[in-house]
Amino acid sequence: MTSSSSVDELPSAAETLTSQIPSETTAAPIDPTPSSDDVESVGDKRKRDDEKTNLQSSDPNVTPSPWFKTSLCSYFRRQGSCSHGTTCKYAHGEKELRQKPDNTWDPTSERGKKAKMSENAAKSAEEEEEVGDVMFTEEMMDDNDGEGGVGGDLSLSKCLVHLPTKWQSDDLKTFLREQGVEYKFAKKRRGMMVGFLTFENAEQLQNGVEILEGKNVNNKSLKIADVLPRTADKNGAKNPAAKLKSAREAVTPLADLSYADQLEQKKASIMQMLKKLTRNARKACPNGKSLPEWVLQSREIGGLSCKLEGIIESPLTNGYRNKCEFSTGYSVEGKLTVGFMLGNFSAGVTAVEEAVNCPNISKLACRYASIFQSFLEKSRLPVWNRFKSCGFWRQLTVREGSKPGVFSNDEDADSRIAEVMLMVQVCTTDTDEAEVTTEFEELAKAFAEGARASSPPLPLTVLVVQDHVGISNVAPPDCPLRLLPIPMSDNGTHQDQSTNVLAEARIHDHINNLRFSISPTAFFQVNTCAAEKLYSLAGDWADLGPDTLLFDVCCGTGTIGLTLAHRVGMVIGIEMNASAVSDAERNAKINGISNCKFICSKAEDVMSSLLTEYLDVSETEEEAKPLSDDFDKQNSSAEEISNSEDVPSNIQEVQNNEHKDSSSSEPERSGKPQFKNVVAIVDPPRPGLHPDVIKALRTHPRLKTLVYISCNPETLVANAIELCTPSFEKMGQENKGYRRQSRMGTAALARHRARKMPASEPFKPVKAMAVDLFPHTDHCEMVMLLNR
C-alpha cells in the first residue's frame, strides 16, 4: 500500500492528462496492444468495442473526455496487465489516475481511501460534538433497587456515552475496576449505550474523567457527558434543555426546508446508495471472472449502478400520515405527556414532547393524543417506565381511513378522513382485573366525549386495547387484543356492536378506487395518496400481461397485488401476519377480485415451493396449451383459490371438471394453472428480504423480472448485492478468517453471503426511482427494476 506521503507526491490531474496526450511533434509510440484477434481471445475480464477514445483521435482539436483515466482499471489491478495497453481509457496504477470532474477520486484508489478516512474522521468528531449533555427523564438512579442513588448533587454525576449496548451494571463495574476508577455508584441498563456514574468527591470525579475520556471500548471512543435532571429544581427554575431537539426536529428534521430542497436532498441520498451498490458489487465479484456489464457501464453514468429516473413528489405534504404512534412518558419539565420521544432510548433519552408543529401529523391525530393525555393525568394507573420496564399505559396508535377520491391539496388533509381506529397499548402484568376494567370504561368514555366535543366532531370507528409485556413498544403480530365498546352518549348507551369479536375491529381506506379493510396490526402504507403513485409505477415497470403470474412478497393487506390484479393472470401474495392475510382475502372479496390467492407464511418457507408449483412446466406443455385460452378459466376458478388458506400443493382440484374433458390422457399436472411469464414484486420491511427468499428468487431460472420496493435503501443495496453479482465456482465454503458477522455492516454481510449463492444467472439493475412517501423527514421510498 502506498504511504500517505507518497500519495501526496503523485502528479496532479492536469500533469497526468498532459502526459497522456500525444504531442504533435513527437512520433506516436509503437502500440504494444495485441491485435483484435488476440484481445478477443483473452476475454477474461472485459470486452470492449474497437472504438477509439477521444485522446486517440487523429484530430488534435478534439477535447479529451473528462472521465479519461479517472478510474483504476480493474483488470490491471487484479492481473497486473491489461490487454488494451496504452489504449485503455482506465488508469493503470496510481500515477496515471486523474481526479474526476466532481473533484473526487476513485474510491478504490489510495487517494480515494485517504479522502474517505478523512471524511469519516470529521464525521466522527462531528457526532461526538453533538453528544453534549444527556437528559435522563426517569428516576433511573434512585434507591429503589438497593444500590444507592445519585442524591441531590448532580455535579458529581456523569454519563458514559458509547458503551456497548449489551453491557449491564456488573459489566460496567468490572470495566471501571480494570481501569482503576474509584466511584460511589455505577449503573448501566442493557440496550442502552450510556451508563451513569456518581463519585464521592470532586477529586474522584476529576481523576475518573481523565482516565475514561477518550478510552477505546469495542472500537468506539468513550465520551463523558453531564447529567441533566428531568424535573425543575426546588426553586422552580427549568433545566437548561436548549440543546435537546424539539418534537418537530426529532420527527420531521427537514420541515424547515422548502419541499423542492427536500426532494433534491433525498435524490442525492438515493444516488449515493446506487453508487454504494456499484462499489460493493465490484468487491463481491469472484476473482478471475468478468465484472457484470452493468458494473462496467456504471462509469458512464457517474458510478451509479443504474439510471435514477428522478423522484416522485407526494401529492400531500402536510398531515399525510394515516398512522401515528404516540408514546407516553414525561417531558423535560417532568410533565406527563403523550407525544414523541426526543431521542433514542439507547442514548439515554426518554423525554417525550407533545406533537405540536409536526407537519406530517394530522390535526385529528394530535387532538386524540391530547384527549388521551388529559385522561392519563386523572388515571389511577401509572404510565410506562422505560428504565424499569414497569407501568400500565404505554402507547396510543391512531389509524385513519380516507374517503375515496384524489386529494392534491394540503388543506384537504383532515377533511378526507372518514374512519378512525384508536389502539391503546397497555401492560396488565401485576394489575387488578376489576380496576383495569373500570379504567377501560373510563377510557372509552373519555375518547367518545372528546370526539363529540371537538368542532367539528371527530370520527371514531373502533377502539382497541393491546396487551403487551415486552420491553419495547414494538409488539408481536399475535399480541392479545381487546375490543372496547364506544359509548354513544352520556346516558351510557353504546355503539351498536352485536358482538365483541376482533374481526370487527377494522377501518377502511381507498387506493386506486379499491376499498381496503385494515385490522389494528396490519401493514398499510402511511401515505395513501403517494402509495397510489408508488404502486402504479411498480406495475408500469413490471412486464405484466394476461399470461403473467405475479408474486406479491410481503404483501400486507394485499394492496400491491390487488391494484395490479386486473393486469395479470394470477396474483399470489405472501405475508406472515395472519390478520393482514385475513384482511387481504376480505379485500379481494370486497372489490370483486377473484384471481388472487394469499398465503399466511414466512416468504422464506414457501417461496421456493410456490415457484416450482406454478412454473416448473416443460416447453412442450407450454406450446401445446395456449395461455390466452386458459385465462378465463383461471379467473373463473380463482375465487375458490383465494378462499384457501393452505399452500397451493394440489391446485388442480380447484379447476372445474368441465375443463378437463377429453384430457384424461394428458398428464395430471397439466390441469394446474401454468404461466409463461412470472414477475415478483417485493416490498419488505426495513430489515430487507430474508436470505432464503433471496436465494429462491435468484436460483429459479423462470423468474426474469423483479421489482424491489424499499423503505430502507441500505437494505436494498445489501439484497441487490446477492441478487446481482456473479456466482462463485465453489460455494458454501466458510471463510474462517472472516470477522464476526455481528460486527459487519449490511453490505459486507451481503458480500459474505454472496459467496455461498448457488450457481445461477444474476439479475442486473435496470433503473431506479425515488418516491417521496415521507415529506419533511429524511426517509424516502426507492423502487428498483431488476431483470435478467
Side-chain angles (χ1 to χ4, degrees):
M1 180 176 292
T2 308
S3 64
S4 59
S5 60
S6 61
V7 169
D8 294 336
E9 295 172 0
L10 293 175
S12 65
E15 293 171 344
T16 307
L17 178 60
T18 304
S19 65
Q20 298 296 325
I21 302 178
S23 171
E24 295 183 9
T25 59
T26 305
I30 298 176
D31 189 355
T33 307
S35 64
S36 59
D37 293 336
D38 294 334
V39 173
E40 291 178 1
S41 65
V42 175
D44 287 333
K45 190 63 184 178
R46 189 166 57 238
K47 296 181 179 179
R48 298 192 186 100
D49 297 332
D50 293 332
E51 296 179 358
K52 291 185 177 182
T53 63
N54 289 341
L55 292 182
Q56 294 174 271
S57 174
S58 58
D59 186 357
N61 297 322
V62 174
T63 304
S65 168
W67 294 97
F68 183 73
K69 301 289 184 182
T70 59
S71 297
L72 291 173
C73 176
S74 57
Y75 187 83
F76 184 87
R77 182 173 64 247
R78 296 185 184 214
Q79 304 295 333
S81 61
C82 175
S83 59
H84 299 91
T86 57
T87 64
C88 184
K89 58 183 178 182
Y90 303 112
H92 289 180
E94 296 283 344
K95 291 184 178 181
E96 290 188 5
L97 186 66
R98 297 175 50 240
Q99 199 172 31
K100 295 182 178 181
D102 59 356
N103 296 325
T104 62
W105 294 96
D106 184 332
T108 63
S109 68
E110 294 301 322
R111 277 171 284 195
K113 292 176 182 178
K114 182 179 178 181
K116 186 68 175 178
M117 290 176 61
S118 301
E119 181 182 341
N120 291 340
K123 186 176 180 180
S124 177
E126 205 172 290
E127 289 177 353
E128 288 192 2
E129 289 180 2
E130 291 179 355
V131 171
D133 299 331
V134 174
M135 172 69 67
F136 69 96
T137 63
E138 308 271 0
E139 296 287 349
M140 178 178 178
M141 299 161 61
D142 55 19
D143 297 320
N144 295 339
D145 54 10
E147 296 186 21
V150 176
D153 189 5
L154 289 178
S155 63
L156 297 178
S157 298
K158 292 290 181 180
C159 285
L160 290 180
V161 187
H162 299 155
L163 291 173
T165 56
K166 294 183 178 180
W167 278 14
Q168 301 186 55
S169 295
D170 291 341
D171 300 298
L172 175 59
K173 293 174 182 178
T174 300
F175 170 73
L176 294 174
R177 286 195 298 270
E178 292 174 350
Q179 302 300 321
V181 176
E182 297 181 355
Y183 62 93
K184 175 183 179 182
F185 168 81
K187 193 162 186 179
K188 167 74 169 63
R189 181 176 175 82
R190 186 182 180 91
M192 300 179 64
M193 69 174 188
V194 299
F196 298 89
L197 276 180
T198 301
F199 299 92
E200 294 281 0
N201 49 55
E203 183 180 357
Q204 254 189 22
L205 185 149
Q206 183 178 356
N207 293 335
V209 170
E210 291 177 356
I211 295 174
L212 296 174
E213 182 72 51
K215 182 69 66 174
N216 190 282
V217 180
N218 285 4
N219 296 324
K220 289 189 177 181
S221 180
L222 287 185
K223 174 72 176 177
I224 309 296
D226 292 330
V227 178
L228 300 179
R230 70 176 176 88
T231 56
D233 60 29
K234 296 180 180 180
N235 298 325
K238 293 185 179 181
N239 298 323
K243 294 183 180 180
L244 286 179
K245 293 180 179 179
S246 64
R248 176 185 173 92
E249 293 171 330
V251 177
T252 54
L254 305 185
D256 293 331
L257 297 178
S258 67
Y259 190 50
D261 290 340
Q262 293 182 32
L263 295 177
E264 285 299 320
Q265 182 170 324
K266 293 181 180 184
K267 185 178 177 181
S269 176
I270 295 297
M271 293 180 70
Q272 291 303 315
M273 290 296 104
L274 294 176
K275 292 180 180 180
K276 182 177 181 180
L277 173 57
T278 305
R279 295 195 301 269
N280 282 275
R282 285 177 176 273
K283 298 177 182 178
C285 287
N287 289 331
K289 277 194 175 183
S290 298
L291 289 174
E293 189 65 24
W294 63 269
V295 174
L296 300 177
Q297 293 175 350
S298 66
R299 291 185 170 119
E300 301 174 3
I301 51 176
L304 302 180
S305 54
C306 61
K307 182 179 179 182
L308 180 62
E309 301 290 328
I311 184 168
I312 297 178
E313 301 181 12
S314 173
L316 291 177
T317 57
N318 292 334
Y320 59 85
R321 287 192 67 93
N322 57 38
K323 179 182 178 182
C324 299
E325 296 175 334
F326 299 98
S327 300
T328 63
Y330 291 91
S331 67
V332 174
E333 291 78 19
K335 176 186 176 183
L336 193 153
T337 305
V338 175
F340 297 128
M341 293 182 61
L342 300 183
N344 294 326
F345 172 74
S346 62
V349 179
T350 58
V352 177
E353 185 177 311
E354 295 181 32
V356 293
N357 298 324
C358 295
N360 60 340
I361 310 300
S362 67
K363 296 178 181 178
L364 179 146
C366 291
R367 176 57 183 152
Y368 273 119
S370 178
I371 294 172
F372 188 45
Q373 178 174 314
S374 299
F375 167 77
L376 293 185
E377 292 172 352
K378 303 174 184 178
S379 174
R380 296 178 292 275
L381 297 175
V383 299
W384 185 252
N385 185 310
R386 290 172 182 80
F387 282 120
K388 301 176 183 177
S389 297
C390 65
F392 186 80
W393 305 105
R394 303 183 59 142
Q395 180 176 271
L396 169 67
T397 301
V398 181
R399 302 196 74 160
E400 306 165 0
S402 62
K403 304 172 185 176
V406 178
F407 298 90
S408 58
N409 195 319
D410 288 349
E411 283 72 19
D412 293 329
D414 278 4
S415 62
R416 77 182 192 279
I417 301 172
E419 301 179 29
V420 172
M421 175 191 294
L422 303 179
M423 183 171 70
V424 179
Q425 187 182 92
V426 300
C427 178
T428 58
T429 304
D430 299 329
T431 56
D432 180 68
E433 185 176 351
E435 183 179 17
V436 169
T437 301
T438 302
E439 287 286 316
F440 285 165
E441 292 176 353
E442 294 295 325
L443 174 68
K445 182 179 178 181
F447 277 129
E449 291 178 352
R452 288 193 298 269
S454 300
S455 180
L458 306 178
L460 179 55
T461 310
V462 177
L463 176 58
V464 181
V465 171
Q466 182 184 58
D467 191 358
H468 176 45
V469 185
I471 296 176
S472 168
N473 286 348
V474 181
D478 58 350
C479 201
L481 298 176
R482 177 176 176 180
L483 182 64
L484 300 183
I486 303 172
M488 293 296 291
S489 60
D490 295 335
N491 59 14
T493 59
H494 292 80
Q495 182 173 318
D496 185 16
Q497 293 175 332
S498 56
T499 60
N500 198 30
V501 181
L502 284 178
E504 297 182 358
R506 59 184 71 252
I507 59 174
H508 300 85
D509 210 331
H510 297 80
I511 293 181
N512 288 344
N513 297 321
L514 298 181
R515 190 167 185 251
F516 290 92
S517 176
I518 307 170
S519 59
T521 60
F523 171 77
F524 197 81
Q525 289 287 3
V526 298
N527 188 338
T528 308
C529 297
E532 292 187 355
K533 294 191 172 186
L534 175 68
Y535 298 155
S536 297
L537 175 70
D540 293 341
W541 281 11
D543 186 15
L544 304 180
D547 59 352
T548 297
L549 173 63
L550 174 61
F551 280 98
D552 184 3
V553 184
C554 308
C555 65
T557 55
T559 49
I560 297 177
L562 293 173
T563 55
L564 301 177
H566 66 287
R567 302 170 63 176
V568 300
M570 186 175 180
V571 176
I572 296 182
I574 306 173
E575 172 61 46
M576 63 180 293
N577 187 326
S579 62
V581 172
S582 176
D583 289 342
E585 293 173 344
R586 177 187 291 253
N587 292 333
K589 294 179 181 179
I590 290 175
N591 296 284
I593 299 173
S594 59
N595 62 333
C596 293
K597 178 179 178 62
F598 297 98
I599 309 297
C600 183
S601 177
K602 292 183 178 180
E604 56 267 26
D605 293 341
V606 298
M607 192 71 205
S608 181
S609 61
L610 287 172
L611 284 168
T612 302
E613 185 74 27
Y614 287 97
L615 299 178
D616 279 357
V617 59
S618 66
E619 294 295 331
T620 58
E621 286 178 345
E622 288 183 1
E623 295 174 1
K625 187 175 181 181
L627 289 171
S628 59
D629 297 337
D630 291 343
F631 182 54
D632 294 335
K633 299 178 185 179
Q634 295 161 4
N635 282 340
S636 65
S637 62
E639 183 172 0
E640 185 176 351
I641 295 174
S642 66
N643 293 331
S644 172
E645 295 182 359
D646 298 326
V647 177
S649 60
N650 197 20
I651 201 69
Q652 65 269 22
E653 296 178 0
V654 180
Q655 301 293 330
N656 294 331
N657 291 332
E658 60 266 28
H659 294 164
K660 298 183 179 180
D661 57 351
S662 69
S663 61
S664 58
S665 61
E666 295 180 6
E668 185 180 359
R669 75 178 291 173
S670 64
K672 301 178 183 179
Q674 298 289 341
F675 301 91
K676 287 184 177 179
N677 184 34
V678 58
V679 174
I681 297 180
V682 298
D683 187 9
R686 291 190 65 82
L689 292 173
H690 190 278
D692 290 343
V693 178
I694 298 174
K695 181 179 178 181
L697 296 171
R698 165 75 183 260
T699 57
H700 203 289
R702 292 285 304 281
L703 179 60
K704 301 296 184 182
T705 303
L706 174 63
V707 179
Y708 196 124
I709 300 174
S710 175
C711 59
N712 185 3
E714 284 278 356
T715 54
L716 186 154
V717 169
N719 291 165
I721 292 170
E722 297 181 69
L723 290 167
C724 301
T725 53
S727 303
F728 280 69
E729 293 181 0
K730 296 181 180 179
M731 70 94 177
Q733 296 181 347
E734 295 289 341
N735 190 340
K736 296 182 179 179
Y738 229 91
R739 54 181 175 164
R740 290 178 57 189
Q741 293 188 9
S742 60
R743 298 179 183 177
M744 295 166 60
T746 55
L749 185 59
R751 296 198 305 268
H752 181 56
R753 286 199 297 258
R755 295 174 175 270
K756 298 181 287 184
M757 183 66 67
S760 54
E761 181 185 2
F763 287 89
K764 64 177 181 180
V766 178
K767 54 185 174 181
M769 177 76 80
V771 184
D772 187 20
L773 261 68
F774 316 102
H776 308 302
T777 74
D778 48 14
H779 298 291
C780 186
E781 207 85 0
M782 180 178 176
V783 184
M784 179 178 285
L785 173 63
L786 308 171
N787 65 19
R788 55 183 174 182

